[in-house]
């Protein structure tokens, strides 16, 4: 599973092998953990504008995405975190709605504040139930932070946005080397390349690339 996002709210991702039968863990809750499994790792790469990106990795904890994300922050970044995600799937397997929350402790949080926040999280319905009931992000935040005084600093729309292009595909093919491009050109037909993220198909004349 690969997911990519940027600071503008643009996200994209894909699952290498999406063909898996998901059983219900409990009524209304698909067993994502059984589908993902625990034989693997969760790696987070952050481009912070430095010479090298920050890379953190942990072994998969439960296969449940939210649980593993929370464990990543605790183990790799030493930030106590509560994370919950929910996806409401329709009968035709389309996505009705999806969302979640991620709560992190700031330095200096008192034991009483930590205990209060833990009680709030424990009392929250599942994200799927909240979304099904029509709860807004603000309402979910107010329930998660009941007893605190949350302040909304910023709001941003999140959208699926793929940045593939003909130029990027051509650069990727050029990186294969002239020998491999020559073999493609010898076949006498355009090279078809499909984007992993959006499934858009690109066609490139390998012979033309060789002339560049």
């Amino acid at each position: 599973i690969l997911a990519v996002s940027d600071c503008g709210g643009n996200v994209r991702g894909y699952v290498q092998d999406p063909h898996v039968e998901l059983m219900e863990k409990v009524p209304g809750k698909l067993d994502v953990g059984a589908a993902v499994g625990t034989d693997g790792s969760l790696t987070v790469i952050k481009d912070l504008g430095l010479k090298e990106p920050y890379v953190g990795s942990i072994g998969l904890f439960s296969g449940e995405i939210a649980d593993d994300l929370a464990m990543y922050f605790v183990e790799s970044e030493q930030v106590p975190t509560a994370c919950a995600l929910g996806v409401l799937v329709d009968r035709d397997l389309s996505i009705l709605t999806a969302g979640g929350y991620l709560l992190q402790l700031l330095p200096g949080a008192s034991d009483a504040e930590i205990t209060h926040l833990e009680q709030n999280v424990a009392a929250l319905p599942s994200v799927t139930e909240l979304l099904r009931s029509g709860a807004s992000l603000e309402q979910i935040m107010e329930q998660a932070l009941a007893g605190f005084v949350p302040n909304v600093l910023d709001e941003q729309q999140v959208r699926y946005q793929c940045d593939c292009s003909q130029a990027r595909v051509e650069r990727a093919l050029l990186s294969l080397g002239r020998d491999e491009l020559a073999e493609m050109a010898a076949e006498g037909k355009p090279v078809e390349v499909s984007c992993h993220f959006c499934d858009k198909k690109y066609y490139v004349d390998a012979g033309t690339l060789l002339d560049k």
Side-chain angles (χ1 to χ4, degrees):
I1 302 173
L2 177 64
V4 182
S5 67
D6 63 21
C7 60
N10 301 308
V11 300
R12 58 197 172 108
Y14 73 91
V15 179
Q16 186 172 358
D17 183 6
H19 305 293
V20 58
E21 290 292 332
L22 283 179
M23 303 300 290
E24 286 190 326
K25 194 170 186 178
V26 295
K29 172 69 172 70
L30 295 174
D31 195 353
V32 176
V36 174
T38 56
D39 184 17
S41 61
L42 167 65
T43 300
V44 176
I45 303 173
K46 297 181 182 180
D47 184 354
L48 303 175
L50 305 175
K51 287 185 178 180
E52 298 293 334
Y54 170 84
V55 180
S57 184
I58 65 166
L60 292 180
F61 171 65
S62 70
E64 291 286 346
I65 307 298
D67 291 346
D68 286 334
L69 280 173
M71 186 62 69
Y72 161 80
F73 281 110
V74 171
E75 289 194 0
S76 186
E77 300 190 11
Q78 288 77 54
V79 180
T81 300
C83 181
L85 304 172
V87 180
L88 190 56
V89 182
D90 205 351
R91 293 182 181 277
D92 63 358
L93 300 183
S94 63
I95 305 302
L96 289 174
T97 186
Y101 61 80
L102 188 148
L103 303 173
Q104 295 184 317
L105 292 178
L106 291 172
S110 67
D111 290 341
E113 289 170 331
I114 294 172
T115 299
H116 185 75
L117 185 60
E118 289 175 341
Q119 292 172 343
N120 285 356
V121 171
L124 275 174
S126 70
V127 172
T128 303
E129 291 177 28
L130 290 167
L131 295 174
R132 184 187 285 117
S133 69
S136 66
L137 294 177
E138 289 78 10
Q139 290 170 330
I140 295 175
M141 177 188 70
E142 289 169 359
Q143 290 187 56
L145 299 178
F148 297 95
V149 186
N151 182 20
V152 178
L153 300 177
D154 192 17
E155 295 185 20
Q156 188 176 70
Q157 292 293 320
V158 177
R159 69 195 67 80
Y160 193 94
Q161 180 80 33
C162 188
D163 60 357
C164 66
S165 67
Q166 185 76 24
R168 294 191 67 170
V169 169
E170 291 180 1
R171 287 198 299 270
L173 290 174
L174 283 169
S175 70
L176 297 176
R178 295 188 63 83
D179 290 344
E180 192 160 345
L181 278 177
E183 291 181 11
M184 295 177 181
E187 295 180 2
K189 57 183 180 181
V191 179
E192 180 182 297
V193 179
S194 296
C195 176
H196 284 302
F197 294 100
C198 66
D199 289 332
K200 184 175 180 179
K201 296 184 183 301
Y202 293 90
Y203 297 91
V204 180
D205 186 332
T208 300
L209 278 185
L210 282 170
D211 296 334
K212 290 187 176 182

